[in-house]
Amino acid sequence: MAASERKQSVSDTAVRAARPAARTHAVHTAWVRRRDRRGFGFIAPFLIGFVLFVIAPLGYAAYSSLYTSRIIGGTVFAGADNY
């Protein structure tokens, strides 16, 4: 039996009728988005500290390892010569 020949059962109609209205869904999703944003507020202090005290020093260490500082001539790219 093809899909176009299939008749709708009573349960299909009941499920469609039981779905909430579009407005209720929109209000619910707005509330969920607002709730999810609050989570970022709780984790933001950790992320700021992590970037300042872990990521930034690692980046500076990588930068420092690839460049050579000279008194006259400034900073020069050394690449792998430092290793």
Side-chain angles (χ1 to χ4, degrees), residues 27-28 37 39 46 66 80:
V27 170
H28 176 71
R37 279 190 301 228
F46 166 76
L66 294 174

Side-chain angles (χ1 to χ4, degrees), residues 3-50:
S4 60
E5 296 175 5
R6 192 182 76 147
K7 294 181 182 179
Q8 288 184 346
S9 65
V10 176
S11 62
D12 289 340
T13 308
V15 168
R16 287 189 187 126
R19 290 184 182 159
R23 182 169 184 240
T24 304
H25 180 69
V27 170
H28 176 71
T29 55
W31 177 78
V32 169
R33 274 189 246 120
R34 208 170 31 245
R35 182 189 66 194
D36 291 345
R37 279 190 301 228
R38 274 189 269 164
F40 290 119
F42 284 105
I43 200 166
F46 166 76
L47 290 176
I48 291 168
F50 185 76

Side-chain angles (χ1 to χ4, degrees), residues 54-67 82-83:
V54 176
I55 301 298
L58 283 174
Y60 183 71
Y63 168 79
S64 296
S65 71
L66 294 174
Y67 287 86
N82 282 342
Y83 298 103

